[in-house]
Amino acid sequence: ELLSSNVSDPGQIARAIYDVEEATSIAFDIIFEHKMIKAETRASLIKFLQLLAAHHPSRRCRKGTAEFLVSFDDLYPTDFWATGKHDKSSVKNLKICGKDVPRGYWMFCRGSKNETRGFSCGLWVLLHSLSVRIEDGESQFTFNAICDFVHNFFICEECRQHFYDMCSSVSSPFKKARDFALWLWSSHNKVNVRLMKEEVSLDTADPKFPKIIWPPKQLCSSCHLGLDQKNNKIEWNQDEVFKFLTEYYSTTLASLYKDS
Ligand code: FAD
């Protein structure tokens, strides 16, 4: 009960496919609502759409993003911003994951308070799901697409800055999908560790879902090699972590919802 959905019920993740759709749909609603597509962000959105069209775990989001891509040049021609006529009311109603989404509620990412979890949890689950669906040859593209998307379109200012710093500290291109998935996992854990400390003093925490270094032993015992006593840090078996991530975000997530 203490660690709630992070630990107690691995089967819960299967319900996260709904939240991945919800987060995708809300992300685009925010982009349209706040007119975030600009001359300087256009290319990065196209990149992220390409990634989603190929690898989003939900078929209907793949379809919606592919359709948006097909009409992107008509909706946002490169001279769009120069003309000064920016009424895109048709785009405002664009439902990227089909007409039923957003549904207005969260499943796996539901917080115990209205203002906790939800969208940012759903976005993480989407990003991890993408990281275990790509091939080696797409790993650097995926890294760029995700880093630029978060930097340009994530509504949380502090998050985009922190994430951008982590992206900027990567010095050599990713060649393996495994390395990218592990980088994302480790970056998420860095955020978790920071929030473990910060949330003590902030009111933004969800008491039912305390931040943890993930995955805990209860979810993946083979991932844990032990504790490095000197640094007080967990030593990981990265092969096992990658196996676990793939299982968790690919097989389990997709199992309930193959045809969506
Ligand atoms: P989340 O951290 O959102 O995680 C969702 C689910 O992912 C968990 O329930 C768990 O099942 C799984 N998970 C947890 N850790 C890992 C991991 N290491 N690898 C794989 N799966 C994991 N908030 C801030 O206050 N400051 C920030 O700088 C900040 N940066 C963010 C950057 C990004 C890119 C995103 C998407 C969010 C960021 N947030 C930040 C929000 C914050 O990380 C959480 O999303 C939010 O606090 C809700 O937490 P949660 O308990 O729902 O779990």
Side-chain angles (χ1 to χ4, degrees):
E1 178 56 29
L2 179 65
L3 296 174
S4 279
S5 82
N6 281 343
V7 177
S8 58
D9 182 4
Q12 284 252 28
I13 188 69
R15 299 160 74 202
I17 188 74
Y18 297 100
D19 294 350
V20 174
E21 291 185 331
E22 192 78 358
T24 307
S25 183
I26 290 175
F28 281 91
D29 284 352
I30 292 172
I31 288 170
F32 299 139
E33 186 78 16
H34 292 262
K35 300 193 170 57
M36 291 163 102
I37 309 177
K38 308 218 166 82
E40 62 277 14
T41 60
R42 184 183 186 276
S44 72
L45 189 62
I46 291 179
K47 228 175 358 183
F48 193 65
L49 283 167
Q50 289 171 339
L51 178 64
L52 296 185
H55 296 302
H56 198 291
S58 153
R59 191 175 188 283
R60 57 178 149 224
C61 300
R62 287 201 296 280
K63 186 163 178 279
T65 45
E67 283 168 3
F68 186 32
L69 261 179
V70 170
S71 45
F72 202 91
D73 267 348
D74 301 327
L75 292 167
Y76 295 98
T78 41
D79 64 357
F80 172 71
W81 294 270
T83 61
K85 288 184 258 156
H86 293 179
D87 180 27
K88 278 285 160 225
S89 30
S90 60
V91 177
K92 262 201 198 139
N93 301 322
L94 201 149
K95 295 284 169 214
I96 206 92
C97 295
K99 62 177 175 38
D100 300 331
V101 195
R103 300 178 181 89
Y105 58 87
W106 300 97
M107 308 273 283
F108 175 78
C109 287
R110 185 182 305 163
S112 65
K113 308 191 237 173
N114 264 349
E115 61 283 7
T116 57
R117 308 196 79 216
F119 178 61
S120 59
C121 166
L123 186 58
W124 272 126
V125 177
L126 169 65
L127 302 183
H128 291 296
S129 308
L130 293 168
S131 80
V132 298
R133 293 172 73 94
I134 56 162
E135 291 175 35
D136 287 345
E138 300 169 295
S139 44
Q140 181 61 21
F141 173 86
T142 305
F143 167 73
N144 285 330
I146 287 179
C147 285
D148 290 352
F149 179 79
V150 170
H151 186 54
N152 288 315
F153 300 108
F154 193 15
I155 200 89
C156 160
E157 181 64 43
E158 176 198 334
C159 309
R160 56 208 269 179
Q161 191 53 51
H162 278 144
F163 197 70
Y164 186 70
D165 292 345
M166 291 193 284
C167 290
S168 307
S169 69
V170 174
S171 51
S172 49
F174 289 98
K175 294 202 178 76
K176 299 264 179 220
R178 171 192 183 277
D179 295 344
F180 173 67
L182 286 171
W183 175 82
L184 192 66
W185 158 75
S186 149
S187 301
H188 191 170
N189 267 340
K190 283 183 189 154
V191 177
N192 292 344
V193 168
R194 198 173 51 240
L195 294 184
M196 275 158 83
K197 295 174 193 153
E198 279 179 18
E199 281 185 343
V200 176
S201 54
L202 293 174
D203 201 25
T204 51
D206 189 323
K208 292 242 169 85
F209 297 88
K211 293 289 180 296
I212 53 166
I213 298 174
W214 192 96
K217 258 192 193 153
Q218 298 96 309
L219 269 189
C220 180
S221 58
S222 59
C223 294
H224 289 245
L225 287 174
L227 194 70
D228 177 350
Q229 301 284 358
K230 246 200 251 154
N231 308 312
N232 199 25
K233 280 195 171 147
I234 297 169
E235 287 186 81
W236 298 98
N237 179 335
Q238 300 219 339
D239 285 337
E240 290 297 316
V241 173
F242 179 58
K243 238 168 62 187
F244 179 74
L245 285 170
T246 308
E247 182 67 25
Y248 194 77
Y249 283 111
S250 157
T251 320
T252 318
L253 187 81
S255 63
L256 254 193
Y257 215 41
K258 272 193 215 88
D259 305 318
S260 65

